[in-house]
Amino acid sequence: MMKKDRKRINTSLLLLLFGRMVSDTGTGIQMVIMPLYIIDAGGSAATVGLFSFLSLMPTLLVYPFAGVWGDRLNRKMIMVATDIASAIVILGLAFASYGDRMNLILLLAVQVVVALLYGFFDPATKGMLPRLVSEEELTRANAILASLRTLSGVLSPVIGAALYTGLGVAAVFLINGISFLISGSCSVLIRYQHTRREFKLQEKGFWTDLAEGARFILGNRAIRRFCTFFLVIYALIQPVFTVVLPLFFRSRLHYTDTWYGYLQMAILLGALLGSVLVGVVFAKEKKATTSLFIGCFLQIVTTTAFAILLFPRSLSLFGNDTVLYFVLLAAVLSFLGAALMFVNVPVQTFVQKATPNEYMSRVFSIVGMISKGGMPFGALIYGFALNKIEVHWTVLAADLLMVFISVVFLAPLLKTRDNTARQ
C-alpha cells in the first residue's frame, strides 16, 4: 500500500515538474529575447528597465491577494486557469506580430497582464508542492524543481536566439503560448486533494486572512531576516541579467545574437549545477546553513569579477570580440547563477517547513512580495542610471553595496552557528 501511495504522489509531482519545465522553457525563450527586441525596435535603456519593472511589479502587487485566494480556493484550479489565460494573451501577441501590428506599448500592456496572472500562479504552486511529497523529501523536491526549471532555461536562450534570428518575434510568442497550454494540461491531471475552508467574500474576512499571514511572518525572526536580505540582494543582482547584460552586449561587445544565447545558457548551466549540488550535498537540514554561506560568498566574488570585466581596460586587454573574453564572462555569470541556487533552495525549504499548510500560500505570497519587492525598482534604477553613468561604475557601486549587506546579514548567522557548535 505504501509503494502504491508513493507512486501516486510521485506521478502528480512529475506532472507538476514537467508542466513547470515546459512553461518555463517557453517563458525563458520569450524573456531572453525581449530586451534585444526592445532595443531593435528603437527602445532605450530606460525602456528595457521599464519592461523589467512591468514584468515584476504587477506580480508583487497581486501577491497578497493571490496568497489569500490560494489558501481558500483549489490551488490546482488556480494553476490551470492562469496557465490558460496566459496562453491566450501571449498567442494574441503572436497574431499581432504576424500581422505586423506589434508595438512596444502593446508589448508592455500584455506583460502587465502576464505578470498579474503569474502572481496568482506562483503562490498556488509553492503551496501545492509540500502536499505532494513528504517533509523529509521536501528539500530534494525543491532542488529537483529548481534543477528542471533551470534546465529548461538552459535550452531557452539558444532556442530563442535561433527563433528570433530565423523566424522573427512572432515565432517566439507562438512557442511561449503553446507552452502554457501544455502546462495547463499537465496541471489538470495532477491528483491533488483540496482542503476546504470556510469561504467568505466579505472584505473583513479577506483582510483577516491576510493579517494572519503577516503576523505569522512577523513572529518568525528568521523569515523576517531572509525577507529583508533578499529585498536588497534581488534589487542589486537581478537587473544584472535583465538590464545590464543585454545593454552591455549590444553596445560594447561585437558578438552575434547566438552568442548572447550562449551567455544566457552559461548562466543557467551554473544555476543547474548549483541546484543539483544543493539537492545532493546539502539536502540535510543541518547543512542548509553551509549552503547559504557558500552562496553568499560566491555572490560577492562573482559580482566583483563581473564588474571588473565591464571596465574598458578589461575590454582592451582581452578584446570585445574574442573567445577568451567570452569564456571569462560566461564563467563568471555561470558561477553567479550557481551562487543564487545555493542561497534560494535552502531558504525556500526552510520557509515551507516552518509554515503550516493553512498559511502556506499567504506566507509565500507575502514573502515573495517583500523579498522580490526591490527587483522592479532595481531594474528601473539601473535603466535610468545607465543612461547617465558608465556601466562599469554602476555595477561596481552595486557590488560594493551588496558586499556590505551580505556581511551585515551573515555576521549574526555565523555567530549563532559558532555558539551551536560549541554546545
Side-chain angles (χ1 to χ4, degrees), residues 99-375:
D100 200 24
R101 295 189 295 272
M102 186 66 185
N103 58 68
L104 292 180
I105 294 178
L106 177 61
L107 175 64
L108 296 175
V110 169
Q111 190 57 42
V112 171
V113 176
V114 173
L116 288 171
L117 291 170
Y118 182 76
F120 283 98
F121 176 87
D122 190 47
T125 304
K126 288 187 171 68
M128 177 184 285
L129 182 60
R131 302 294 302 276
L132 301 182
V133 297
S134 65
E135 184 173 319
E136 292 76 16
E137 292 294 321
L138 190 53
T139 298
R140 197 175 304 277
N142 277 316
I144 293 173
L145 177 61
S147 299
L148 290 178
R149 295 187 65 188
T150 306
L151 179 61
S152 69
V154 171
L155 304 174
S156 301
V158 176
I159 298 174
L163 286 173
Y164 184 53
T165 302
L167 300 175
V169 72
V172 173
F173 293 132
L174 177 63
I175 294 299
N176 190 20
I178 293 174
S179 75
F180 276 104
L181 290 177
I182 296 174
S183 176
S185 300
C186 289
S187 298
V188 169
L189 299 175
I190 293 176
R191 295 181 180 178
Y192 170 74
Q193 185 64 41
H194 172 58
T195 302
R196 293 183 177 275
R197 296 179 57 220
E198 182 181 354
F199 182 70
K200 296 179 181 180
L201 289 176
Q202 290 90 342
E203 182 180 359
K204 182 178 179 181
F206 171 85
W207 291 111
T208 298
D209 280 1
L210 184 60
E212 287 178 354
R215 280 196 296 269
F216 179 84
I217 294 173
L218 292 174
N220 191 304
R221 183 179 180 183
I223 295 180
R224 290 201 315 269
R225 288 182 60 83
F226 285 136
C227 288
T228 305
F229 175 67
F230 282 126
L231 173 67
V232 180
I233 294 301
Y234 277 149
L236 296 174
I237 291 183
Q238 191 64 29
V240 168
F241 302 118
T242 59
V243 180
V244 174
L245 185 59
L247 289 170
F248 179 74
F249 185 89
R250 266 288 188 262
S251 61
R252 304 294 176 85
L253 303 181
H254 296 161
Y255 302 103
T256 65
D257 290 349
T258 302
W259 288 72
Y260 179 76
Y262 291 149
L263 269 183
Q264 295 291 329
M265 185 165 56
I267 297 170
L268 293 162
L269 281 172
L272 176 61
L273 176 62
S275 60
V276 169
L277 287 175
V278 171
V280 174
V281 180
F282 303 104
K284 294 183 179 180
E285 187 174 355
K286 294 181 179 178
K287 295 184 178 181
T289 304
T290 302
S291 174
L292 185 60
F293 276 103
I294 293 175
C296 289
F297 177 75
L298 277 177
Q299 284 179 357
I300 293 172
V301 173
T302 51
T303 51
T304 302
F306 179 68
I308 293 173
L309 285 175
L310 299 184
F311 272 78
R313 181 165 295 183
S314 297
L315 291 174
S316 62
L317 178 63
F318 299 112
N320 61 357
D321 59 354
T322 64
V323 174
L324 176 59
Y325 183 85
F326 183 86
V327 169
L328 290 173
L329 184 61
V332 167
L333 291 172
S334 180
F335 279 110
L336 180 55
L340 292 173
M341 290 297 104
F342 270 83
V343 174
N344 290 350
V345 173
V347 169
Q348 180 167 302
T349 302
F350 172 82
V351 175
Q352 286 173 331
K353 288 184 176 181
T355 306
N357 175 65
E358 62 267 24
Y359 294 113
M360 193 71 70
S361 291
R362 277 172 287 173
V363 168
F364 263 104
S365 65
I366 298 172
V367 168
M369 182 184 67
I370 297 173
S371 61
K372 297 180 181 179
M375 290 167 59

